[in-house]
């Protein structure tokens, strides 16, 4: 299998960021700014545009039994239905997002929009459908060498592997994993709203929010909680790297 081509984004300060062509194409399609993040104005505009298309505009997923609050008060047993109990355990609370000229800010997860750059770390609930771009909490960090070259994170121990459990969404048994390749790029795994970060940390780009997420789609179609492994049906196993690259391109095309 041919090696993945490596591309670099260069900014006013020399910060080489190795990304595959599929990742670059995805960033372009979702209108993401990997260096600075979206401005509050752009994020608000996207939220309003999403609302105008018929969704709530917020990054929220309706529960499996979306009954009026008064019904839940009269029938509290609804909250103890297995699907409702599972849903409550995977709802994200907040998210660390890059906004307003490169500032990392912790927002309510409902405020995320497509194209946001987010950071994930061990113990986090994945706050939206997203694709991994880099490992570690500060992938932009570089060290200048004596010959004028730059290397990424040379003074820090590199993240060896990131593991994310998406079994509650897709039913797959093994966690999705990503590690750094020899060329500095990472395996660009697709992650889903409600997944759980078991190990490691990384930076990802949001590809879908709210009613557009995989979880929301499965709930609408009556296929959640999963009764088996849905990955083959969904066409996203998270294992084969060539399929991942192709899958990212397909995913970004569906989100246009």
């Amino acid at each position: 299998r041919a090696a993945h081509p490596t591309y670099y984004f260069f900014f006013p300060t020399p910060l080489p960021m190795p990304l595959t062509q599929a990742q670059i194409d995805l960033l372009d399609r979702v209108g993401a700014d990997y260096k600075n993040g979206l401005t509050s104005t752009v994020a608000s505009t996207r939220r309003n545009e999403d609302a105008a298309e018929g969704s709530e505009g917020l990054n929220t997923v309706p529960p499996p039994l979306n009954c009026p609050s008064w019904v839940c008060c009269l029938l509290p047993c609804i909250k103890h239905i297995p699907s409702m109990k599972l849903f409550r355990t995977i709802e994200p609370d907040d998210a660390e997002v890059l906004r307003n000229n490169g500032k990392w800010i912790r927002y309510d997860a409902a405020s995320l929009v497509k194209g946001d750059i987010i950071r994930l770390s061990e113990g986090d609930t994945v706050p939206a459908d997203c694709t991994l771009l880099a490992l570690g909490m500060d992938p932009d960090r570089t060290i200048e060498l004596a010959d004028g070259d730059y290397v990424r994170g040379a003074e820090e121990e590199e993240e060896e592997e990131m593991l994310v459990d998406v079994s509650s969404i897709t039913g797959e048994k093994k966690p999705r994993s990503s590690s750094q390749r020899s060329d500095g790029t990472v395996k660009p795994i697709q992650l889903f709203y409600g997944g759980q970060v078991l190990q490691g940390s990384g930076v990802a780009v949001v590809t879908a929010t709210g009613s557009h997420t995989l979880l929301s789609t499965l709930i609408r179609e009556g296929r959640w909680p999963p009764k088996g492994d849905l990955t083959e049906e969904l066409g996203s196993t998270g294992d084969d790297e060539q399929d991942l690259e192709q899958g990212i391109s397909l995913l970004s095309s569906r989100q246009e």
Side-chain angles (χ1 to χ4, degrees):
R1 182 176 297 169
H4 294 274
T6 302
Y7 300 84
Y8 293 88
F9 283 167
F10 288 95
F11 301 102
T13 54
L15 297 174
M17 300 179 192
L19 298 170
T20 68
Q21 185 61 54
Q23 290 171 316
I24 292 174
D25 290 344
L26 178 59
L27 289 170
D28 181 60
R29 287 191 179 102
V30 300
D33 184 336
Y34 185 56
K35 171 62 178 177
N36 299 303
L38 302 179
T39 65
S40 296
T41 300
V42 169
S44 179
T45 298
R46 293 188 182 186
R47 204 173 295 117
N48 292 336
E49 289 174 347
D50 200 29
E53 293 176 359
S55 67
E56 293 184 3
L58 295 175
N59 178 37
T60 56
V61 173
L65 294 176
N66 195 17
C67 58
S69 57
W70 64 268
V71 173
C72 292
C73 291
L74 293 176
L75 300 172
C77 58
I78 289 178
K79 297 179 180 179
H80 300 287
I81 293 175
S83 62
M84 292 291 283
K85 292 174 68 176
L86 176 60
F87 181 79
R88 288 199 301 273
T89 66
I90 64 174
E91 281 187 291
D93 293 322
D94 53 22
E96 194 172 8
V97 58
L98 189 66
R99 288 272 177 87
N100 300 323
N101 200 29
K103 298 176 182 177
W104 288 106
I105 305 172
R106 188 162 289 279
Y107 279 139
D108 184 78
S111 69
L112 292 180
V113 297
K114 183 170 69 174
D116 265 330
I117 302 296
I118 58 175
R119 291 202 296 200
L120 302 170
S121 59
E122 185 174 327
D124 284 350
T125 298
V126 179
D129 287 5
C130 56
T131 295
L132 191 67
L133 299 174
L135 294 181
M137 296 300 285
D138 190 10
D140 291 358
R141 187 172 181 276
T142 60
I143 306 298
E144 184 174 6
L145 303 179
D147 59 5
D149 288 337
Y150 288 79
V151 294
R152 298 174 65 241
E155 292 182 355
E156 297 181 1
E157 181 179 352
E158 294 288 343
E159 291 283 349
E160 293 185 356
E161 186 177 26
M162 186 174 183
L163 298 175
V164 182
D165 179 10
V166 295
S167 61
S168 296
I169 315 302
T170 66
E172 58 196 89
K173 296 180 180 179
K174 296 190 303 180
R176 296 199 167 193
S177 66
S178 179
S179 55
Q180 187 167 300
R181 300 167 174 147
S182 59
D183 62 2
T185 63
V186 300
K187 182 179 176 183
I189 53 175
Q190 297 174 30
L191 305 175
F192 306 112
Y193 179 110
Q196 305 294 315
V197 182
L198 303 179
Q199 174 185 307
S201 59
V203 174
V205 59
V206 173
T207 56
T209 59
S211 61
H212 304 294
T213 61
L214 177 61
L215 175 62
S216 184
T217 299
L218 293 175
I219 289 176
R220 286 197 304 272
E221 295 175 351
R223 295 194 291 161
W224 191 87
K227 296 180 175 60
D229 191 337
L230 301 176
T231 52
E232 287 191 13
E233 181 182 346
L234 297 171
S236 174
T237 65
D239 286 329
D240 187 275
E241 298 201 13
Q242 183 174 346
D243 290 345
L244 276 169
E245 298 288 338
Q246 296 171 349
I248 289 173
S249 297
L250 289 172
L251 173 67
S252 56
S253 296
R254 293 191 192 109
Q255 301 302 327
E256 289 181 328

